[in-house]
């Protein structure tokens, strides 16, 4: 509890008549005369006690006791200038970095095991994974039964995960690696082949598993900023950023076996291994599931156009209500 301010009282001084009487009563002999005692209080001088109390008062609430003409009240111009100085001198994270921080705890690495795929695309993808791991680019089938690497995103904190069907189709075993490093096997609980989607259920989950937030694409426009988080060639989680470059696009796989429609086209870099990962806005909300990249050659590397299934379709694959 703040104590009330204390003020010192001025010492009492002798009245002038009393001083005159004292001077009249003093002996006239200079040898025996004594000089009058100096008064403790003299105009224009401070006593030690007064100065001490003033210092204590200023320490307790100096702004209150300071002369008002010395105060400067903040204006909106002062606040704007301070904010501008902070923006010019402080290093702030980019929008993509903030979005990645939001979604990263919900992104998982998906590895499927089983017989080797014999397609040229599968061989190219495997060479890329081996190169990233420092292994020989060509290995025998019996050396590694890792069938494919992709990405998934947790949509329910009980371990329900969305990914691409082509990442896990035909696998004998599926292994999930969560953000905190926990590994778990997973099973396929439902599929949506027309949108290349699969829903997985992890057998073990972290105690603090975070589910992603999904955002309707109803107001999405070309030019909106987006980011992709995943495991290209098994490396990650990696982040790339770009913009939405088109809506309601169609894509036919190089083999011509399937055509996907109503896709989000984007230019954030994606490569084999990003499949099944989230396409997010700058708030880290999931707009779609990355499913394909366009490349007229068989190299399966990114040349500037990727596609994602809108989250409305992906949520329907998981049996979740639409937005």
């Amino acid at each position: 509890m703040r104590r009330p301010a204390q003020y010192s009282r001025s010492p009492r001084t002798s009245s002038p008549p009393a001083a005159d009487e004292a001077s009249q009563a003093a002996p006239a002999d200079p040898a025996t005369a004594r000089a009058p005692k100096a008064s403790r209080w003299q105009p224009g001088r401070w006593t030690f006690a007064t100065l001490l109390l003033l210092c204590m008062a200023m320490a307790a609430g100096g702004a209150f006791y300071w002369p008002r003409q010395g105060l400067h009240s903040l204006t909106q111009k002062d606040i704007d200038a301070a904010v501008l100085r902070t923006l010019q001198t402080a290093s702030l994270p980019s929008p993509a970095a903030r979005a990645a921080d939001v979604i990263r705890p919900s992104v998982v690495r998906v590895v499927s095991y089983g017989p080797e795929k014999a397609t040229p695309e599968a061989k190219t993808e495997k060479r890329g994974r081996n190169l990233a791991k420092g292994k020989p680019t060509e290995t025998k089938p019996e050396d590694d039964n890792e069938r494919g690497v992709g990405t998934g995103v947790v949509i329910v904190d009980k371990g329900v995960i969305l990914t691409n069907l082509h990442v896990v189709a035909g696998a004998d075993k599926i292994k999930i690696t969560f953000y905190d490093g926990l590994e778990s096997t997973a099973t396929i609980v439902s599929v949506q082949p027309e949108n290349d989607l699969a829903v997985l259920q992890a057998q073990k989950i972290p105690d603090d598993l975070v589910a992603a937030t999904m955002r309707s694409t109803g107001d999405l426009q070309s030019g909106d900023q987006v980011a992709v988080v995943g495991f290209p060639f098994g490396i990650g989680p990696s982040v790339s950023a770009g913009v939405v470059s088109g809506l309601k696009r169609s894509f036919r796989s190089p083999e011509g076996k399937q055509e996907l429609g109503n896709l989000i086209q984007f230019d954030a870099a994606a490569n084999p291994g990003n499949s099944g990962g989230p396409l997010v806005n700058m708030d880290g909300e999931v707009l779609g599931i990355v499913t394909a990249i366009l490349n007229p050659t068989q190299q399966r590397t990114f040349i500037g156009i990727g596609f994602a299934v809108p989250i409305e379709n992906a949520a329907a694959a998981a049996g979740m209500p639409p937005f």
Side-chain angles (χ1 to χ4, degrees), residues 222 245-251 259-266 305-308:
S222 296
S245 52
L247 298 169
K248 299 185 182 302
R249 297 292 195 245
S250 297
F251 170 78
E259 181 173 351
L260 303 175
N262 190 33
L263 300 175
I264 303 169
Q265 178 184 320
F266 61 89
I305 296 179
F307 298 103

Side-chain angles (χ1 to χ4, degrees), residues 111-320:
V111 181
S112 61
Y113 297 87
E116 282 288 337
K117 296 179 183 178
T119 62
E121 294 78 11
K123 293 180 179 179
T124 300
E125 184 176 341
K126 185 173 182 178
R127 283 197 295 271
R129 294 199 307 271
N130 289 340
L131 184 64
K133 295 177 180 178
K135 294 182 178 181
T137 54
E138 298 295 338
T139 59
K140 297 179 181 179
E142 60 269 18
D143 291 337
D144 186 5
N145 68 341
E146 187 177 286
R147 182 183 175 91
V149 176
T151 307
V153 58
V154 178
I155 58 171
V156 180
D157 58 10
K158 294 181 180 180
V160 179
I161 298 165
L162 270 175
T163 189
N164 280 151
L165 178 58
H166 74 259
V167 172
V168 296
D172 295 334
K173 185 177 75 170
I174 302 170
K175 185 173 72 174
I176 303 296
T177 305
F178 291 96
Y179 175 67
D180 66 351
L182 177 68
E183 295 183 350
S184 171
T185 57
T187 56
I188 301 174
V189 294
S190 66
V191 297
Q192 195 180 75
E194 63 272 22
N195 287 310
D196 189 26
L197 293 169
V199 181
L200 308 179
Q201 175 63 62
Q203 303 305 308
K204 294 188 301 182
I205 62 173
D207 293 334
D208 55 351
L209 183 60
V210 177
T213 300
M214 294 178 283
R215 169 67 183 269
S216 171
T217 61
D219 59 351
L220 192 63
Q221 298 180 357
S222 296
D224 285 347
Q225 290 182 298
V226 290
V228 171
V229 182
F231 293 85
F233 297 109
I235 305 172
S238 301
V239 182
S240 59
V243 299
V244 173
S245 52
L247 298 169
K248 299 185 182 302
R249 297 292 195 245
S250 297
F251 170 78
R252 182 178 293 276
S253 63
E255 302 88 357
K257 296 178 181 179
Q258 183 180 9
E259 181 173 351
L260 303 175
N262 190 33
L263 300 175
I264 303 169
Q265 178 184 320
F266 61 89
D267 69 352
N271 282 288
N274 280 116
S275 295
L279 177 74
V280 302
N281 60 16
M282 294 299 97
D283 293 323
E285 300 166 328
V286 181
L287 300 170
I289 301 299
V290 177
T291 191
I293 55 176
L294 180 62
N295 193 321
T297 72
Q298 296 295 327
Q299 298 304 310
R300 285 179 60 81
T301 54
F302 186 68
I303 61 170
I305 296 179
F307 298 103
V309 178
I311 195 60
E312 288 87 348
N313 295 17
M320 300 178 69

Side-chain angles (χ1 to χ4, degrees), residues 13 16 20 24 32-33 36-37 57 67 77 99 126 156 159 181 228 256 259 306:
T13 58
D20 294 339
Q24 293 174 3
T32 59
K37 293 183 180 180
K77 185 177 180 180
K126 185 173 182 178
V156 180
V228 171
E259 181 173 351

Side-chain angles (χ1 to χ4, degrees), residues 69-87:
Q69 60 269 24
L71 292 176
H72 174 67
S73 58
L74 289 177
T75 64
Q76 187 62 44
K77 185 177 180 180
D78 296 329
I79 297 173
D80 293 342
V83 172
L84 181 61
R85 282 195 301 272
T86 301
L87 293 176

